[in-house]
Each structure stands twice: as C-alpha cells, then as structure tokens.
Amino acid sequence: MTAEYDLPDAERHPYAWGNAGTPGTLPQAALGALAALGAVPTAPPIPPAEADLPPCALPAAALTDLTDALGADQVSTAHATRVGHTRGYSTPDLLKLRDGDARDAPDAVLYPGTHDEVVAVLEICTRHRVAVVPYAGGTSVVGGLTPDRTGFAGVVALDIRRLDRLVSVDEVSHTAVLQTGLRGVVAERLLGEQGWTLGHFPQSYEMASIGGYAAARSAGQSSAGYGRFDEMVVGLTVATPRGTLTLGTAPRGAAGPDLRQLVLGSEGAFGVITSVTVRVRPAPQVRVFEGWTFPSFTAGATALRALAQDGPLPTVLRLSDEVETAVNLADPDAALTGPGSGGCLMITGYEGTKDTVARTRDAATERLRALGGEPQGHEPGEAWRAGRFRGPYLRDPLLDAGALVETLETATFWSNVEALKTAVSTAVEGALTEQGTPGLVMCHISHVYETGASLYFTVVCGRSQDPLAQWAKAKEAANTAIRACGATISHHHGVGRDHRETLARELGPIGVDLLRAVKASLDPAGILNPGILVG
Amino acid sequence: MTAEYDLPDAERHPYAWGNAGTPGTLPQAALGALAALGAVPTAPPIPPAEADLPPCALPAAALTDLTDALGADQVSTAHATRVGHTRGYSTPDLLKLRDGDARDAPDAVLYPGTHDEVVAVLEICTRHRVAVVPYAGGTSVVGGLTPDRTGFAGVVALDIRRLDRLVSVDEVSHTAVLQTGLRGVVAERLLGEQGWTLGHFPQSYEMASIGGYAAARSAGQSSAGYGRFDEMVVGLTVATPRGTLTLGTAPRGAAGPDLRQLVLGSEGAFGVITSVTVRVRPAPQVRVFEGWTFPSFTAGATALRALAQDGPLPTVLRLSDEVETAVNLADPDAALTGPGSGGCLMITGYEGTKDTVARTRDAATERLRALGGEPQGHEPGEAWRAGRFRGPYLRDPLLDAGALVETLETATFWSNVEALKTAVSTAVEGALTEQGTPGLVMCHISHVYETGASLYFTVVCGRSQDPLAQWAKAKEAANTAIRACGATISHHHGVGRDHRETLARELGPIGVDLLRAVKASLDPAGILNPGILVG
C-alpha cells in the first residue's frame, strides 16, 4: 500500500521546483485569467550554467583540511554543484536564480559520509572561520539556506545526502533510527519494505529530507492522524562544533526541559542533526479519501474544530476557503477566477486497518453531515490525493507566464482563526492593490489541533517591474498582520532569514537572547547558518 | 461529576504528607509484616515548633526592599512559616524534619500577589544577591526546594499561593488561563463550575499547584486520556530576573525551537511561571473504573503496549507487578507480604461522554480479553479510584513504625521495559540486602506512550541506624542501573538536587552546558533555585 507514495527518484530540476522529469504545466484557462491579472509572459530563465557565480573564496588551507577529512571526491567547487546549492525554493529565491543571480552560492559543497565526518567538518570550519550551511533537501522557502557571510572566510554547504540509511527498526517500541540525509520518499520506501510507515507527507515530500523535517519542525499533510514531525521524534544525534549531543532516553519525561524540542526547529543554527529516532506505525492496510462541501469557510472551520476537539479525527483533514475552492489549480479546466458559488471544499482522508478506517469514517461522516457538510464522494478526495505533491510544480510555469505567486502560513487558536484570516488577506490584498497589481488571495486550513489550526495562504498576482520589492511589501504586510493578531510567524515553513525579524517580535528580547545563548553554547564561533533563525 | 475530585481544602500537616485532617493509618496486618522486615517503631517526630531553625540571615536592606515591594504582611520570617517552607516531601526530607532539622529553611517567605510583584522580587533579590526558591505546592520529592546557599546573602521562598485565579476560559479554543499558585484541586473546582476539566490528577493532587505541574513536567494518573501537563500547556508567562518572557502564540508551530518546552521542566531555575494557558476539555459525563488481572507482568505490559500502540486507549491505564499486586497498601487487610499468586492487577478508567465511554470501553474490553486479561469488575477499579490520592499518607505511619519507605521512577522505550525493571529492582534489593535490611521492591506502570512507558518503584524495608545513608546507597544503585539501561532519571518527579548529577550523566557535558547557558541568559546572577536542575 505504501507504494503509491513511492515517487520516482528525483532528478532535481536545475532551477525550478522538484523532479525535472515531471514539470508542471498550466491549464489553458488559467493563462487567460493571468492575462486579466495583468501578467505578461517573461523572458525565459537564464540557464544555471550562465549564472553569475562569484569565484570560490574559500582559503586554500581550509579547502585542504576539508579535502583531507572527507576525500577529494566529497568536496566540490564545481559551478553546477555550487549553483545547485544556492538558496532554497521561495519565490524570491527562484526569481533571483532565474535572473542568473547565484551570488549567494556556497564556495564549496561538502558531502560527509558519517556523523564523525560531520563533526570533523564543523571543527575544521570553526578553526578556519568558515560558515556552514547544513543542507538536506534544500527546500527551504524562508531563506534558510542563505547565511550572512559577513566576518567569515567563506561559506560551505554541508550536504548530508550520503547519510541515507535506515539504521534500525525496533518492532517492539515502534521506533526507527533514520539518518537525516534520507529523503522522505526514500525513508518511506525503506520503512514500507519492512511493513512500517512514518506517515509524514509534507508537500515537499519528493525533495525534502528527514534532517529538514527535524530542523524545520515540519508538519505533513497527514498531521491529523500521524502528528507533526516534532511529535514523531523521540531521539536525536546532533553534531555541534563542540562535539556530539545525544538526546532522547524515553518517550517523555521530567528530566528537566525537553531539549529535543530545542533542537527541533533549530534550522541548522545550533548543530547538524545526523540521525533521529522516530515513532513509526504499521503501514496502513487501507486509504480512503473523500470530499465534502460546506456552505462557507466559517461552517467548514466549525466542523474541523468539532472533529479536532471531540473527534473522531481523520488522518487528513483540510478545508479550502471559497476562493481556493473556486480556483483549483490542480484542475485542468481551472480558470483562476474569483470566488465561485461552490462553497468550501473539505478533504477527509482515513488510513489504517480496514476496521479502524471503517469505524472512524462512519463516525466522522455522521458528524460532518450533522455539521452541515455535503458529501461529494471519493472523486474530489482522489483528485486531491493524486495532486497532493503537484502544487509547487505550478509555480514555475506561473512565473513563466508573468505571474507572481507565493505562499505563506501561520497558526493561531480557534477563537482567532477568522480574524487572522481576514487580517492577513486584507493586508496582502491591500499591499498588492497599492502597487497596482491586485491579486487573488486563497486560503486553506491543513493542520488542526484541539486548541487551534494553521492557515495557509496562496497569493497570485501580476508581476511588477521589481517583483522582489513587490513581494517584500506584500509579505511585510502579512507579517505585520500576523503579529498584530498575536499569531505565529510560522506553522511549518520555519524562520530562516525571512522570518527572523518577525520571530524576534514574537519572542521579545528575552526570548531572542535565549536563542542566542543556546547558539553560543553549542556553536561558540557562530559558524552554523549565521543569520538564520536568530541574528 | 467533577465534584468527586473536589477534595477538602487542605490544612497542611506540619511535618507529614498532605491534609492534616485526614492522616493515614496502617492496617494492623502490615505492622506484623514490618516487624518481620526488622522495623522497630521509632521515637515520635520532634514537633516543628522545636525544630533547629537558624536565625534569619537576610540582610536588613534586602528585607526592607522586599517589605516595601510587597507590604509587611506579605513577608514572613515567623518560625512556623519558615519551617513550613523547608524542603519538600521526599523521605529524606521527612526524616530530617522529623529529627528537628530545619537548617535548610528559607530566611523569609514572600507572598507576592501579582506577576509584577514577582518580577519586582526577582529584581530586588538579584540586587541583594539573595537566592530565591520558587514555591508552589511544596511537594517536590527530589530536593527541588533545597537550594545551595553558597555565595548568597540569604534565601527566600517565593510562595505564589496568592496567584490563585482562573483568569479566563476560551470556550471556542478550549483553553483556560490559570495563575500558577492555584492548587490543582482548586483549579479543577473552578473549571468544573464552568463545565470544564483539566484532567490532571497526579498523586500530589491535593497539595500540588499549577506552577509545580508546569515547572516539573508533571504527569497525572489520567495521562493516557488527557496527556501530560506539558502536553496541555499552550502558553506561559514567566517572570525572570531580566523581566517577563511570554510564550505561546499558537497550539504548535515552526517558529524556531519550542521554547515552551524549555520552561516546562525548568524547576524554578530559569524563572517563575506565573500563569499558563492550558487546553481544557468538557467535564466528563461519565467515569468508569475497572480491574483486570493478567497472569504476569510481562503479559500485562504486553497488553498495555497493545492499547498504547493500536488503541483504544482508556483514560487511566496502569499495571501493578506481582509484588505490588500482592501488597496492596490501600487494602485494610494488606499484610505487606511478598509475591502472591494473584498475578498482576491492571486498572482501566474511562471518562467522557456516555457514548465515547461506552464505545472505548467495549473495544478495550474486547482487546484486553484477547490479550489474556481476566476482568475483575468495578470493585478493584473503584477501590483504586477511592484511594488514588491516599498512597503518600501511608508513608508517615510507616516511618513511625520504623520502616524506610520511598519511591522512585523512570521511563524507557517498550523493548527496554522488562530489562530496566529487573535492573532497578535487583540494584535496589542488592543495596538494601548489603546493608542488612532486605526489603520489598514493588513496581507499576502508570503512564504509557506509543513508544514506551514509565516504571514506578516503591521500596519498603526496615530502617537502619542512619536511614539517610541507607537510602542514599539504595538510590545511588537505582540511579546507576537506570543510567546503565539508557533510561531517563525521571518520568515525572523531576530533577531537583537529588537527580542533578544523574541528569548530567544523561545529557552529557554539552547538554549540561546548554542548560547552564539558558540559565545564565534568563538569570544572569544565578539567584533562582541555585543548585537545582543544573549545578
């Protein structure tokens, strides 16, 4: 059963999202709608081979030490490799690379093969004052791979892809030890061969790695059933510039603060997570996905809340607002038009044994009907399931077509969900309109908790002359609205550089100093991802 | 329905556990068994009024500033008040106080009435270099209230009992804001009046406070259904020597590490938690408790694991080993004899709506039967429920009778549970036998997770001439066994002073330095509970 999630091994596209073999294409109708938004097709991207890449600045002595430690074949300064490790996949990141700007590239890319080699690299880089970007799947959308070079002799990307083993499965404890360079899709395949699943399916599933899940506190699309990645982790091994930190002696405990929760979300700024012990579950026998419609976002959100608070909780539970429901980008006939009259689409998914799926589904169905839902059968559920990792593939053709498209997300407590949604939508719409490029702001809830939920926004508009500045204004408006509502700057994308200042406002000076103190303790020379998470 | 948990307001016993109005009494049969263990009744405790209390060492200037800040009536140096805030409730703590040793008493006891007054106290104490013991319910059993005075001008207990308000309930988000001086029983009463429950019932329920639950990562007897206290907390307000730290903008998120999990378990060493936002649930309509027997601990543990991993999970789920099952201290006819032939007693409890209780109970019953359980009906369940907070009351009469009795606990992953149980039991039995006082070691599992469980040990033996040294040897043997098994030094009692060195071995030097760095950031002068959690 897990085979359906076993996507082809990705041959990464050189500058666009995802697997080069399965590029996204826009439905014809969408192109018309984009034209109406003022989008004008742009010049094709500059090929990476022609990108503006600064010469390798790494001191020769550092390069020698790194080569001695890892072997010459595991240290690359090749143009394509350096450009391929430049930044992540935010829209600003893509825009820069499409423009041939690879000025944030690392000076070299390192491929350590063991935990001890990672420790050795950190020691060498500390000694030579070289900044280190821990690099797993490379899918950051918040500037998590763009460190501040100031004061450093150079920057290396520490690519952990060779740490790719499923080390062990404890069938009694329902845990597995995974090296963190494993891509999610490969980890799932290896676990599936032994009858287990991690159950973690973020939209970046094809590209992202276990290390990124951990470092960025990832939440997968099945979080209602399987929990967030930070809830799955029971142990971590972390390479720090001071040596190895090992955490996790029991599922839960009272032996002081839970330091695991300090490493989860540390985004490579405190250390390099080289392996994790995670809770696994028996691979599901059955998977069922269905669609529901609700007359309004309010009615749908109330139903989500009822299931989150009183149960039963499906494995997947998500709700698109009116605009997103109308603008179904995965639909070949989609027209990118405004709000339709189709209400709001909810997707429910159930995974588990035949019995548990039947029982949960029956009970949830009864409740959703009572809460005003109209069942739409399997088709919308299966359509969502089939396209669940395809959304990001559409961004590149949208950029080609002259649109600006980006996503952002937040979370809050239930009583604040509607106010937050309105505030963020209004702020972003206002900032775009002010710049003469009014756009569409779509929203969905994809993660629910007893006390609250996430909100995920997708923004599409025509591109201005300076799309980086254009988006920066919209994003700043969103951040300000999020802060004003008392919500969090990130539910699952993380902090990186892009959210650092807003996080500082969220935590206050004492909280920021706390993060700085933690970093200084583990990384005294500050070589790890400088400027990421905390300044 | 919550009324049954609404215990009488405690008038605290001056030197024994719990409510002075409901002292524990030993069953007659137990006294004979104790004699067989070599226990000889001891001289009665020295009354607190006659305890050896050092004079108040607080500098006059500090006392003046504190009195100015709080009012003279909220600063006490009275003998009874100081003795009443001396140490906690570990057996060594009780033994010392019974012997009239109040040398660890604070010099003064402070009763701030607001968060701002707590901040002011911390500022004053930083200035005068006075150590501060944050004091909530006072029920630490790990030396959490016995700071190291070295280098300080004095020690004050900061008793937060006046911070006793249920501030608000958010009926939509299912959250409540509680001040942390609220005793658990009062918080439950106030929430119950509005139809809600926290669902947190540790054995210290009558005495412990919300602040202690948070600071020590408490786990209640209903943790299977309601989760641990650290899982209930979604927000915290913390007074630190540097000012106020406020955490919790969403149920869960990816805005960096979860700093809430750094404050939870900080045991007063990082700050004083003055209020928490917690998830609450509708007060249950129905509560059902039942007993089951399993032929062996192994069979019972396997059944617990099956429910924890595949469900359904009752609200309360616990399993006594063969010895604890035979020695039921709550039974008036209990004889404190060795292993019986009655197998192992499991308690299952179900709380919720009539429907959910019926559904969960039916499914759990079916599974437990299939797993080899013999249903024993309501009687054992109700007996456990009636006595659930009474266990600690028996310790004082046991001490009177010349026994040494103490508890300790740990947690590990499922595949390690049996090895850990054997190792700890063997170590403690060996250490006691070596000292000529062989004893009984009983064990139960009271908290289960998908990946593992807690183990709770109760030890009874005859008292030697130097019971403090006697217990120290047994405890050190237990700690060493726990470490050798790779388990945690505490599942829910915490660290305090007693577990500090073992925690250091558990975390390693990098982890310990991390805790020190966090403390130094929040409490630069190190006035908060010095020597607690981290040295």
Side-chain angles (χ1 to χ4, degrees):
Chain A
M1 277 301 298
T2 51
E4 70 177 290
Y5 288 128
D6 194 0
L7 301 166
D9 276 334
E11 185 187 322
R12 189 176 287 240
H13 194 289
Y15 58 83
W17 175 263
N19 187 336
T22 58
T25 47
L26 279 188
Q28 195 56 41
L31 294 173
L34 285 174
L37 280 172
V40 180
T42 57
I46 294 170
E50 297 166 24
D52 174 14
L53 179 72
C56 170
L58 213 59
L63 204 51
T64 304
D65 284 356
L66 290 167
T67 306
D68 287 350
L70 303 180
D73 53 339
Q74 306 303 344
V75 178
S76 173
T77 56
H79 180 103
T81 307
R82 289 178 60 205
V83 174
H85 286 78
T86 304
R87 309 186 191 96
Y89 284 93
S90 70
T91 294
D93 288 348
L94 293 184
L95 288 170
K96 286 178 190 167
L97 203 56
R98 291 167 69 97
D99 273 356
D101 172 3
R103 288 173 296 176
D104 289 321
D107 295 298
V109 180
L110 315 177
Y111 299 96
T114 64
H115 170 84
D116 288 347
E117 286 188 355
V118 176
V119 174
V121 165
L122 298 182
E123 186 275 320
I124 293 166
C125 289
T126 296
R127 196 146 39 78
H128 291 282
R129 204 156 173 75
V130 169
V132 177
V133 186
Y135 193 99
T139 58
S140 173
V141 291
V142 292
L145 303 165
T146 321
D148 183 356
R149 299 181 77 104
T150 313
F152 292 94
V155 174
V156 292
L158 192 160
D159 188 325
I160 56 174
R161 70 178 61 186
R162 290 174 64 215
L163 301 174
D164 62 352
R165 287 195 310 122
L166 164 57
V167 178
S168 60
V169 176
D170 178 341
E171 305 218 338
V172 175
S173 305
H174 285 202
T175 59
V177 180
L178 303 172
Q179 288 190 318
T180 48
L182 272 172
R183 278 186 301 120
V185 66
V186 180
E188 197 61 37
R189 183 190 306 153
L190 296 175
L191 287 168
E193 286 167 6
Q194 299 188 39
W196 300 96
T197 184
L198 191 54
H200 191 72
F201 306 110
Q203 204 172 34
S204 57
Y205 178 60
E206 288 175 276
M207 314 302 290
S209 293
I210 298 295
Y213 294 170
R217 299 186 82 84
S218 172
Q221 292 167 344
S222 307
S223 68
Y226 290 99
R228 302 168 55 88
F229 197 71
D230 47 84
E231 294 170 312
M232 299 176 189
V233 173
V234 294
L236 303 118
T237 303
V238 191
T240 81
R242 291 191 50 208
T244 300
L245 176 66
T246 309
L247 297 170
T249 52
R252 294 283 177 271
D258 191 345
L259 297 182
R260 297 174 295 199
Q261 299 297 328
L262 196 54
V263 173
L264 295 162
S266 61
E267 302 193 6
F270 297 169
V272 182
I273 305 164
T274 58
S275 75
V276 290
T277 307
V278 288
R279 178 254 288 152
V280 292
R281 290 192 179 153
Q285 293 170 355
V286 179
R287 290 193 174 101
V288 179
F289 290 84
E290 294 175 310
W292 290 79
T293 51
F294 281 81
S296 66
F297 183 77
T298 302
T302 302
L304 289 189
R305 178 164 70 85
L307 295 188
Q309 293 181 336
D310 312 323
L313 208 49
T315 309
V316 170
L317 190 57
R318 46 195 297 130
L319 174 75
S320 293
D321 73 355
E322 290 85 349
V323 185
E324 189 173 282
T325 299
V327 183
N328 182 355
L329 283 173
D331 175 355
D333 301 321
L336 275 179
T337 51
S341 54
C344 289
L345 179 66
M346 180 187 292
I347 301 294
T348 54
Y350 306 90
E351 300 190 0
T353 63
K354 234 172 131 171
D355 273 5
T356 55
V357 165
R359 213 170 25 234
T360 308
R361 180 169 168 266
D362 287 352
T365 299
E366 191 184 317
R367 285 217 75 186
L368 289 173
R369 275 187 201 275
L371 289 157
E374 288 277 343
Q376 304 295 319
H378 292 290
E379 194 282 326
E382 290 301 324
W384 174 81
R385 174 197 203 175
R388 64 190 292 188
F389 306 122
R390 295 296 302 164
Y393 283 91
L394 296 175
R395 184 169 44 165
D396 299 283
L398 280 166
L399 293 177
D400 290 337
L404 180 73
V405 55
E406 183 56 302
T407 63
L408 60 93
E409 44 82 53
T410 175
T412 191
F413 298 101
W414 283 115
S415 58
N416 197 32
V417 162
E418 302 248 7
L420 177 63
K421 178 176 185 293
T422 302
V424 173
S425 302
T426 305
V428 172
E429 284 163 5
L432 293 176
T433 302
E434 230 169 61
Q435 298 180 77
T437 54
L440 277 180
V441 179
M442 303 167 251
C443 182
H444 65 246
I445 293 176
S446 47
H447 304 273
V448 298
Y449 307 93
E450 277 185 77
T451 58
S454 68
L455 284 175
Y456 191 97
F457 298 88
T458 304
V459 184
V460 186
C461 63
R463 204 146 100 200
S464 77
Q465 290 300 315
D466 183 354
L468 292 174
Q470 180 191 13
W471 176 248
K473 278 182 194 157
K475 176 73 174 168
E476 181 54 34
N479 292 355
T480 303
I482 287 169
R483 258 312 54 229
C485 287
T488 183
I489 188 59
S490 178
H491 175 266
H492 59 273
H493 281 171
V495 179
R497 268 170 91 122
D498 298 357
H499 291 159
R500 194 182 75 196
E501 298 309 321
T502 312
L503 176 66
R505 297 206 291 277
E506 187 172 326
L507 292 179
I510 295 175
V512 171
D513 281 354
L514 187 52
L515 290 179
R516 286 194 187 118
V518 168
K519 181 170 175 66
S521 174
L522 296 173
D523 174 24
I527 59 162
L528 281 165
N529 244 358
I532 307 302
L533 183 64
V534 67
Chain B
M1 276 302 299
T2 51
E4 70 178 292
Y5 288 129
D6 194 359
L7 301 166
D9 277 333
E11 185 187 321
R12 189 175 286 240
H13 193 288
Y15 58 83
W17 174 265
N19 187 337
T22 58
T25 47
L26 280 187
Q28 195 57 40
L31 294 172
L34 285 174
L37 279 172
V40 179
T42 57
I46 293 169
E50 295 165 26
D52 175 13
L53 178 73
C56 169
L58 214 59
L63 204 53
T64 303
D65 283 356
L66 290 168
T67 306
D68 286 351
L70 302 180
D73 52 338
Q74 305 303 344
V75 178
S76 173
T77 56
H79 179 102
T81 307
R82 289 178 61 205
V83 175
H85 287 78
T86 304
R87 309 187 192 95
Y89 284 93
S90 70
T91 295
D93 287 348
L94 292 185
L95 288 170
K96 286 177 190 166
L97 203 56
R98 290 167 70 96
D99 274 355
D101 172 3
R103 287 172 298 176
D104 289 321
D107 294 299
V109 180
L110 315 177
Y111 299 96
T114 64
H115 170 84
D116 288 346
E117 286 188 355
V118 175
V119 174
V121 164
L122 298 182
E123 186 276 319
I124 292 167
C125 290
T126 296
R127 194 146 39 77
H128 291 282
R129 204 156 172 75
V130 169
V132 177
V133 187
Y135 193 100
T139 59
S140 172
V141 291
V142 292
L145 303 165
T146 320
D148 182 356
R149 300 181 77 103
T150 313
F152 291 94
V155 174
V156 293
L158 192 160
D159 187 324
I160 57 174
R161 71 178 60 185
R162 289 173 63 213
L163 301 175
D164 63 352
R165 284 196 311 124
L166 164 57
V167 178
S168 59
V169 175
D170 178 342
E171 306 220 337
V172 174
S173 305
H174 285 200
T175 59
V177 179
L178 302 172
Q179 288 189 319
T180 48
L182 270 172
R183 278 186 301 120
V185 65
V186 179
E188 197 60 39
R189 184 191 306 155
L190 295 176
L191 286 168
E193 285 168 5
Q194 299 188 38
W196 300 95
T197 184
L198 191 55
H200 191 72
F201 307 110
Q203 204 172 33
S204 57
Y205 178 58
E206 288 174 277
M207 315 299 292
S209 292
I210 298 295
Y213 294 169
R217 300 185 80 84
S218 172
Q221 292 167 344
S222 306
S223 68
Y226 290 100
R228 302 167 55 89
F229 197 71
D230 45 86
E231 294 170 311
M232 299 176 191
V233 172
V234 294
L236 303 118
T237 303
V238 190
T240 82
R242 290 190 50 209
T244 300
L245 176 65
T246 308
L247 298 169
T249 52
R252 293 282 176 270
D258 191 345
L259 297 182
R260 296 174 296 198
Q261 299 297 328
L262 197 54
V263 173
L264 295 162
S266 61
E267 302 192 6
F270 297 169
V272 181
I273 306 164
T274 58
S275 74
V276 290
T277 306
V278 288
R279 176 255 286 153
V280 293
R281 290 191 179 153
Q285 292 169 356
V286 179
R287 290 193 174 101
V288 179
F289 289 84
E290 293 174 312
W292 290 79
T293 51
F294 281 80
S296 66
F297 183 77
T298 302
T302 302
L304 288 190
R305 178 164 71 84
L307 295 189
Q309 293 181 336
D310 311 322
L313 209 48
T315 309
V316 170
L317 190 57
R318 48 195 297 129
L319 174 75
S320 294
D321 73 354
E322 290 85 348
V323 185
E324 190 174 280
T325 300
V327 183
N328 182 353
L329 283 173
D331 175 356
D333 300 323
L336 275 179
T337 50
S341 54
C344 288
L345 179 66
M346 180 187 290
I347 301 294
T348 54
Y350 305 90
E351 301 190 1
T353 63
K354 232 173 136 172
D355 272 5
T356 56
V357 164
R359 211 167 31 234
T360 308
R361 180 168 168 266
D362 287 353
T365 298
E366 192 184 316
R367 287 217 74 188
L368 289 173
R369 275 186 201 276
L371 289 157
E374 288 277 343
Q376 303 296 318
H378 292 291
E379 194 282 326
E382 289 301 325
W384 175 80
R385 172 198 206 174
R388 64 191 292 186
F389 306 122
R390 295 297 300 163
Y393 281 92
L394 294 175
R395 184 169 46 165
D396 299 284
L398 280 166
L399 293 176
D400 291 337
L404 181 72
V405 55
E406 182 58 300
T407 63
L408 60 93
E409 44 82 52
T410 175
T412 192
F413 298 102
W414 283 113
S415 59
N416 196 33
V417 162
E418 301 247 7
L420 177 64
K421 178 176 186 292
T422 302
V424 172
S425 300
T426 304
V428 172
E429 283 163 5
L432 293 176
T433 301
E434 229 171 63
Q435 298 180 76
T437 54
L440 277 180
V441 180
M442 304 167 250
C443 181
H444 66 247
I445 293 176
S446 46
H447 304 273
V448 298
Y449 306 93
E450 278 185 77
T451 59
S454 68
L455 285 174
Y456 191 97
F457 298 89
T458 304
V459 184
V460 185
C461 64
R463 203 146 100 201
S464 76
Q465 289 299 316
D466 183 353
L468 292 174
Q470 181 192 12
W471 177 249
K473 280 183 193 158
K475 176 74 174 170
E476 181 54 34
N479 291 356
T480 302
I482 287 169
R483 259 307 60 226
C485 287
T488 183
I489 188 59
S490 178
H491 174 268
H492 59 273
H493 281 172
V495 178
R497 269 171 89 123
D498 299 356
H499 290 160
R500 194 182 75 196
E501 297 309 321
T502 311
L503 175 67
R505 298 205 291 277
E506 186 171 328
L507 293 179
I510 296 175
V512 170
D513 282 354
L514 187 51
L515 289 180
R516 286 195 186 116
V518 169
K519 181 172 175 65
S521 175
L522 296 173
D523 174 24
I527 59 160
L528 280 164
N529 243 358
I532 306 302
L533 183 63
V534 67

